[in-house]
Amino acid sequence: REVRKYANFLLALRARWAGAARVAHRPFDLTVDCATLCQLHCPYCAVGNGAIRRKPSLMDAALHERLAADVAPDLFLAWYFSAGEPLLHPRLHEHLARTAGEEAFTVVSTNLSVPLTPARQEALLRSGLGMLSASVDGASAATYAQYRRGGDFGLVTDNLAALARRKREMGLQFPLLEWRFLLFAHNQHEVDAARAMATDMGLDLLEFFPGYALPPGDPGEQGVHPMTIPMPGRPISGPAYEAGLARRETLVQRLAADGMPPAPAPVDTAVDTAVDTAVDTAVDTAEETAEETAKGSGAEGRGGKDKARRRCDWLYYSGMIYPDGAFGPCCVATDADDDFTRLDAHPDFGAAWNAPAFLRSRTAFAAGVGGNGRNRGLDHAPASDVFGTGGRAGTVCDRCPLPVAQELQFVQKVRAILRNAPDWVVRILSAAPGEFFLPADLRRMPVELAALHRPEARALPADP
């Protein structure tokens, strides 16, 4: 299975690099929304506030089996959540077990405000689930209720503590249990209290993340406002995080830990080959400058400057599957009108992923730098003028709802896959990194790409 998954990963990198319209690979990451309904009413959630234009439904076993049989063998990651609450699906644990059986790492994000019997707790823990992330935006009932409207703080924390306790009793390493805390103005003072509670419960991870909210006085604000303090130090912490940092099983893990600079924030794939000082330092350490790497990539050869133009990673790496079999391009285009096709309209997943809407969208992104050219460079320019496809695709991509997701969503995932890559994959990539990565990837993943240029990487055997 490892060879199949990594071979598919290499094909995905190549297709993205080339800006291919029709692809031969499968996603290595997939979001499966098995339940498009929720019992909470969070103010900025399209399901919770009723803004979503999609019927509530649950995925049936036959559809999930077809999906798992066709795609799961190629997946590294499967996300069993998006627009709804996954624990409202009574057979969730069966779906997780099916996909985990294909050695895909499964993740569930849940509000956890659902009664869980001991039997259901054990079913989830035994399903092969990789990580359960509980969204708990407060360390007290009063703060929690301001955003998680309709949730029961006591039930949530009892569930989380019970899962952690039962997991220890069963002697399991997985699933990792995470508390994910969205920070707003009303709960930002509870960071230290949340850290203490996470430690007391014996959780694997605690993550703080800035919650989306409109500022006070905005016509659309919902009584919940953005945080007003800097992000806390150590926004991600816990035993599992520390253990991950200490891993040295693979060559890239060892090389990446060998004095290389931390990765900066992701950048626009439409930017050309210039790289910043941190990247220059990292690649100089590998005895090759970023400029030389870009030249070696063929950025001025086959395909020319197209290799430096915008891509949407979703169109090459992943996809969004809804309970009724609808197939959307990404998790940020949630309305049914934005779907690209349906699984049942095609003989297999590969045909669905090459449906006309996918072909047009990939072609439109690869054809230019993105946007329709109007108002470029102005602070007030609409996102569709700068970040969409300029109306060329006839899909939601022409008016991308969240442009940052085009490039940010998969950086950490690709970094993790590279850090865990076996020697033969590292050797293939190190032989010609410019044939798999865009020039701007040097800024997005400088640590891992610099490792590929090290002599130790180039000396590995390329035979799996």
Side-chain angles (χ1 to χ4, degrees), residues 6 77 253 411-421 448:
Y6 272 100
L77 294 155
Q253 288 171 2
V411 172
Q412 297 292 57
K413 300 172 188 179
V414 174
R415 291 182 68 204
I417 292 170
L418 291 174
R419 284 174 176 255
N420 287 283
E448 291 75 21

Side-chain angles (χ1 to χ4, degrees), residues 56 80 85 124 127 129 155 202 251 256 277 299 314 321 383 419 434 443:
Y80 276 82
E85 169 48 53
L124 285 169
S127 67
L129 176 61
L155 175 62
L251 180 64
T277 303
W314 273 96
I321 307 298
R419 284 174 176 255
R443 290 192 180 199

Side-chain angles (χ1 to χ4, degrees), residues 166-417:
R166 185 63 182 131
K167 177 188 164 185
R168 289 192 296 273
E169 292 170 354
M170 296 168 68
L172 298 175
Q173 179 182 4
F174 296 101
L176 302 178
L177 299 177
E178 179 191 56
W179 177 347
R180 194 167 194 262
F181 190 126
L182 297 183
L183 287 166
F184 299 99
H186 69 269
N187 65 13
Q188 61 191 21
H189 63 286
E190 293 190 330
V191 167
D192 290 341
R195 292 193 194 279
M197 289 175 65
T199 299
D200 289 345
M201 284 190 278
L203 301 182
D204 300 294
L205 293 163
L206 172 64
E207 178 183 7
F208 295 102
F209 197 83
Y212 171 80
L214 296 173
D218 188 285
E221 66 99 0
Q222 301 291 317
V224 175
H225 303 131
M227 59 188 293
T228 61
I229 62 172
M231 278 293 292
R234 297 187 303 124
I236 304 176
S237 62
Y241 181 72
E242 298 302 324
L245 292 178
R247 290 183 62 188
R248 300 290 185 271
E249 289 93 341
T250 69
L251 180 64
V252 175
Q253 288 171 2
R254 294 191 293 274
L255 294 180
D258 188 19
M260 293 186 180
V267 297
D268 190 343
T269 53
V271 174
D272 216 320
T273 58
V275 285
D276 60 15
T277 303
V279 179
D280 288 336
T281 301
V283 180
D284 283 341
T285 303
E287 302 179 337
E288 184 169 353
T289 66
E291 181 180 3
E292 290 168 345
T293 303
K295 289 178 180 178
S297 73
E300 299 301 328
R302 186 170 64 84
K305 290 187 177 180
D306 283 352
K307 298 301 173 291
R309 292 179 175 175
R310 180 176 298 280
R311 301 285 188 268
C312 177
D313 291 350
W314 273 96
L315 298 176
Y316 295 98
Y317 293 166
S318 191
M320 178 73 230
I321 307 298
Y322 290 99
D324 61 353
F327 193 170
C330 64
C331 71
V332 300
T334 56
D335 290 338
D337 294 344
D338 296 331
D339 295 339
F340 276 18
T341 190
R342 294 184 54 83
L343 292 178
D344 58 13
H346 304 274
D348 58 28
F349 188 93
W353 212 26
N354 284 302
F358 281 104
L359 300 183
R360 294 196 308 272
S361 297
R362 294 186 189 114
T363 298
F365 272 109
V369 296
N372 55 31
R374 296 193 298 269
N375 299 316
R376 187 174 299 281
L378 299 182
D379 292 339
H380 65 274
S384 59
D385 286 356
V386 182
F387 297 108
T389 63
R392 302 179 184 95
T395 68
V396 67
C397 298
D398 295 341
R399 47 181 172 80
C400 178
L402 189 64
V404 70
Q406 297 171 14
E407 296 148 2
L408 176 62
Q409 200 93 10
F410 295 94
V411 172
Q412 297 292 57
K413 300 172 188 179
V414 174
R415 291 182 68 204
I417 292 170

Side-chain angles (χ1 to χ4, degrees), residues 45-71:
C45 170
V47 175
N49 64 24
I52 192 170
R53 295 193 298 273
R54 186 178 297 277
K55 294 180 179 179
S57 58
L58 298 174
M59 181 173 287
D60 66 43
L63 173 61
H64 185 269
E65 174 54 34
R66 177 191 172 193
L67 184 66
D70 202 356
V71 185

